[in-house]
């Protein structure tokens, strides 16, 4: 049977055994958990294993630590990630045997259809944090959601929570049009900016995809939108479903915030407004103006779902963030080390402002550019993103899914940053970066490792010495 992204295989009683290629991935491992809970037999392969695959083995999945055509025999459906090459031996074997094959996003869309209330969170930035906030509020409110997010959330013990068949909350990523395979009846849209230069031609191309996605919301569904973003406001004008707005700057936002204060311990307080009327005070255990906005999106969505203001307030106070989102990794010699997933200019600015809110003596930003195309097409935007850092250390570009064509190099970004009067240096080796920090950082400083690749290892190396005060 040829690949089919419209036919709902999970509705077919003959589909009982599913194989996932790339099962150790953040999303794929979570989807495997959901499939097992739904009663499917699951196998999966990957070139690496982790605690995620160990957990799946305990749940009954067959995990194979390599890719081989021998791994495909009598499965009824094969799922693959975007990182899997079409020459993958398992994918080729499945197609040779006429076993249906679908990508990860299609599987998630199929799973989503099994739930009555389907809440998705999309946007260029903030998806994981906002999805996690919504999930935390829904759990506090007793709604028992199934949750699927792109990072580990402590309160659910990973990336996935298995709940009832009434509510599902998931991130909706625009890359390669993945979210066009989802079926939300409530969509939160945080922002729309140009990113994923290896797929989208320009911002108009990105907006076109967000419009296609938003048109998937049924007439009786809801779009929850940040009207601080002009591209999101543009989108709202073209939709006819129910609209709920939020924002900090816009006069037109239904939900907004005032009296915003950031404390040096990383907490945030503000007064919540609805229709410009004071509702209550909100306290967050995460810092940054972007997290105020994220929380407003979560409040707007959850209030529409019937969650009380009391449960919303209580849940947000308990929310301590997700892994790799300005996550405190440790303290050494009174130097705090944070790790953040920021890999887009807007995210860098937001993260560094969060660091500044903590009143450090100096901010050391260790940045690893993610993909050559993004570094090339957003070079000027990247160069002006580090103004809140005192020193920027740039490592080599993390290739991810791309090949180095020689058109862009980290040293070019360093030169560009320095041309604006900032201090940036290029160091390729992670151990050498950690050594440089040990020789130059002082008590009271903050080190932020930043990027979507493996740059967090620098912080780990830096913290592995005498005098470390581990974060419990």
């Amino acid at each position: 049977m040829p690949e089919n992204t419209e036919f709902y295989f999970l509705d077919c009683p003959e589909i009982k055994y599913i194989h996932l290629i790339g099962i150790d991935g953040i999303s794929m491992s979570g989807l495997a958990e959901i499939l097992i809970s739904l009663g499917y037999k699951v196998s999966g392969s990957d070139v690496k294993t982790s605690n995620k695959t160990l957990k799946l083995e305990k749940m009954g999945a067959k995990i194979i630590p390599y890719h081989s055509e021998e791994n495909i025999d009598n499965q009824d459906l094969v799922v693959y990630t975007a990182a899997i090459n079409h020459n993958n031996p398992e994918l080729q074997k499945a197609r040779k045997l006429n076993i249906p094959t679908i990508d990860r996003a299609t599987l998630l869309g199929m799973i989503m259809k099994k739930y009555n209330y389907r809440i998705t969170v999309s946007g260029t930035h903030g998806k994981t944090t906002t999805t996690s906030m919504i999930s935390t509020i829904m759990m506090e409110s007793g709604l028992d959601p199934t949750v699927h997010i792109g990072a580990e959330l402590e309160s659910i013990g990973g990336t996935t929570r298995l709940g009832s068949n009434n509510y599902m909350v998931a991130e909706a990523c625009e890359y390669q049009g993945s979210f066009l395979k989802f079926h939300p009846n409530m969509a939160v849209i945080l922002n729309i900016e140009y990113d994923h230069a290896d797929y989208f031609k320009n911002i108009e191309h990105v907006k076109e995809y967000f419009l296609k996605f938003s048109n998937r919301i049924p007439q009786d569904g809801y779009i929850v939108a940040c009207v601080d973003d002009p591209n999101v406001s543009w989108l709202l004008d073209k939709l006819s479903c129910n609209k709920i707005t939020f924002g900090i700057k816009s006069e037109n936002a239904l939900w907004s915030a005032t009296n915003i204060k950031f404390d040096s311990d990383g907490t945030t307080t503000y007064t919540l407004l609805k229709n410009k009327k004071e509702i209550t005070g909100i306290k967050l255990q995460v810092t940054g103006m972007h997290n105020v906005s994220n929380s407003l999106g979560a409040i707007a969505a959850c209030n529409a779902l019937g969650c009380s203001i009391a449960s919303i307030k209580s849940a947000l106070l308990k929310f301590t963030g997700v892994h790799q989102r300005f996550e405190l990794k440790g303290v050494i010699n009174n130097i705090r080390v944070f790790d953040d997933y920021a890999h887009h200019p807007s995210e860098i600015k937001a993260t560094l402002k969060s660091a500044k809110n903590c009143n450090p003596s100096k901010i050391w930003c260790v940045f690893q550019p993610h993909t050559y195309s993004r570094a090339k097409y957003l070079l000027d935007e990247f160069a002006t993103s580090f103004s809140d850092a005192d020193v920027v250390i740039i490592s080599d570009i993390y290739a991810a899914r791309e090949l180095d064509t020689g058109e862009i190099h980290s040293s070019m970004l360093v030169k560009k940053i320095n041309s604006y009067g900032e201090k940036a240096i290029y160091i390729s080796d992670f151990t050498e970066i950690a050594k440089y920090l040990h020789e130059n950082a002082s008590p009271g400083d903050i080190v932020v490792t930043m990027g979507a690749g493996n740059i967090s290892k620098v912080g780990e190396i830096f913290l592995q010495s005498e005098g470390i005060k581990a974060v419990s």
Side-chain angles (χ1 to χ4, degrees):
M1 186 182 296
E3 181 162 337
N4 189 325
T5 58
E6 294 297 327
F7 186 70
Y8 291 97
F9 294 108
L10 297 189
D11 290 337
C12 301
E14 62 268 26
I15 302 292
K16 299 176 181 178
Y17 183 13
I18 302 174
H19 181 78
L20 286 79
I21 309 174
I23 197 168
D24 191 55
I26 284 283
S27 180
M28 287 286 267
S29 57
L31 292 176
E33 282 190 51
I34 296 174
L35 289 174
I36 293 170
S37 75
L38 292 173
Y40 292 96
K41 181 181 177 181
V42 170
S43 64
S45 61
D46 213 312
V47 293
K48 59 183 175 64
T49 56
S50 67
N51 290 333
K52 299 191 293 292
T53 46
L54 286 174
K55 180 181 179 181
L56 289 172
E57 280 188 310
K58 290 178 181 177
M59 293 177 69
K62 178 184 178 183
I63 305 297
I64 309 156
Y66 55 85
H67 297 308
S68 169
E69 65 176 20
E70 296 174 0
N71 298 337
I72 304 299
D73 42 42
N74 61 339
Q75 290 95 340
D76 303 311
L77 179 67
V78 171
V79 185
Y80 59 92
T81 69
I84 296 300
N85 190 290
H86 283 272
N87 292 325
N88 178 277
E90 294 173 24
L91 200 54
Q92 288 191 328
K93 177 73 173 295
R95 288 168 175 166
K96 182 178 179 181
L97 295 177
N98 216 27
I99 297 172
T101 61
I102 59 173
D103 64 16
R104 178 204 62 84
T106 300
L107 173 64
L108 178 52
M110 290 179 179
I111 290 174
M112 201 175 286
K113 287 283 284 184
K114 291 183 172 289
Y115 292 83
N116 297 323
Y117 296 93
R118 305 176 292 275
I119 302 99
T120 63
V121 181
S122 63
T124 313
H125 332 290
K127 292 185 290 293
T128 299
T129 296
T130 308
T131 306
S132 300
M133 286 179 170
I134 290 171
S135 303
T136 303
I137 294 169
M138 291 178 72
M139 288 187 289
E140 182 80 6
S141 303
L143 296 183
D144 192 25
T146 289
V147 178
H148 187 64
I149 58 176
E152 293 189 10
L153 177 62
E154 206 70 43
S155 61
I156 65 173
T159 64
T160 300
R161 178 187 188 271
L162 306 174
S164 69
N165 62 355
N166 214 25
Y167 295 92
M168 182 172 188
V169 190
E171 292 181 40
C173 181
E174 74 275 19
Y175 182 58
Q176 292 186 342
S178 291
F179 60 3
L180 300 183
K181 298 167 183 175
F182 300 166
H183 309 277
N185 40 35
M186 175 183 281
V188 181
I189 300 187
L190 303 168
N191 39 63
I192 302 174
E193 292 188 47
Y194 183 53
D195 195 14
H196 302 299
D198 58 328
Y199 186 78
F200 293 112
K201 300 171 186 175
N202 48 42
I203 185 60
E204 295 304 319
H205 193 195
V206 178
K207 287 163 63 178
E208 175 190 329
Y209 270 64
F210 271 91
L211 180 58
K212 287 180 181 178
F213 169 67
S214 301
N215 279 327
R216 297 181 72 83
I217 304 166
Q219 286 290 106
D220 60 350
Y222 288 84
I223 183 166
V224 181
C226 180
V227 286
D228 286 341
D229 187 301
N231 290 326
V232 177
S233 294
W234 166 87
L235 182 70
L236 278 183
D237 291 338
K238 299 184 178 299
L239 302 176
S240 56
C241 61
N242 298 300
K243 302 167 187 176
I244 303 172
T245 59
F246 67 94
I248 300 170
K249 303 172 184 176
S250 175
E251 289 291 318
N252 302 318
L254 175 65
W255 294 92
S256 58
T258 189
N259 300 323
I260 303 168
K261 297 177 182 177
F262 303 109
D263 294 326
S264 59
D265 63 355
T267 59
T268 303
T269 57
Y270 65 86
T271 301
L272 177 66
L273 306 177
K274 184 179 183 182
N275 273 330
K276 299 182 175 64
K277 294 181 180 179
E278 292 190 11
I279 301 298
T280 189
I282 297 291
K283 184 174 182 178
L284 305 175
Q285 299 296 326
V286 290
T287 190
M289 197 66 76
H290 62 299
N291 278 323
V292 173
S293 182
N294 290 339
S295 69
L296 288 173
I299 290 168
C302 291
N303 185 254
L305 291 170
C307 301
S308 69
I309 294 297
S311 62
I312 288 171
K313 183 174 179 176
S314 173
L316 288 176
L317 182 59
K318 293 176 182 177
F319 179 75
T320 56
V322 292
H323 290 204
Q324 279 197 291
R325 276 34 174 207
F326 201 58
E327 179 186 5
L328 181 61
K329 303 298 290 185
V331 182
I332 183 169
N333 300 330
N334 200 29
I335 300 169
R336 287 171 286 176
V337 179
F338 292 86
D339 183 47
D340 196 273
Y341 195 69
H343 54 283
H344 182 279
S346 295
E347 295 166 352
I348 293 168
K349 291 176 184 177
T351 299
L352 291 176
K353 286 189 184 302
S354 295
K356 202 166 186 177
N357 290 338
C358 297
N359 294 325
S361 301
K362 186 179 287 188
I363 297 174
W364 300 78
C365 178
V366 183
F367 179 63
Q368 180 185 49
H370 186 267
T371 72
Y372 298 103
S373 58
R374 182 182 284 116
K376 176 184 175 182
Y377 289 104
L378 298 180
L379 181 65
D380 289 337
E381 289 88 343
F382 275 120
T384 57
S385 300
F386 297 94
S387 58
D388 281 323
D390 294 281
V391 182
V392 185
I393 302 171
I394 308 290
S395 71
D396 286 322
I397 297 170
Y398 189 82
R401 52 190 173 265
E402 297 182 347
L403 295 175
D404 184 3
T405 62
E407 297 176 88
I408 187 75
H409 188 270
S410 290
S411 60
M412 297 164 69
L413 176 56
V414 168
K415 184 177 179 180
K416 198 83 170 178
I417 294 170
N418 288 333
S419 73
Y420 289 105
E422 310 293 344
K423 182 178 180 182
I425 58 174
Y426 164 68
I427 305 176
S428 62
D429 184 77
F430 286 3
T431 302
E432 287 300 313
I433 295 174
K435 181 181 177 183
Y436 183 89
L437 291 170
H438 270 297
E439 292 173 350
N440 294 279
S442 302
D445 291 354
I446 279 180
V447 171
V448 186
T449 56
M450 194 181 291
N454 60 350
I455 196 64
S456 60
K457 291 180 180 178
V458 170
E460 295 168 8
I461 297 169
F462 180 65
L463 288 167
Q464 288 171 357
S465 64
E466 289 186 24
I468 179 175
K469 179 184 176 184
V471 176
S472 59

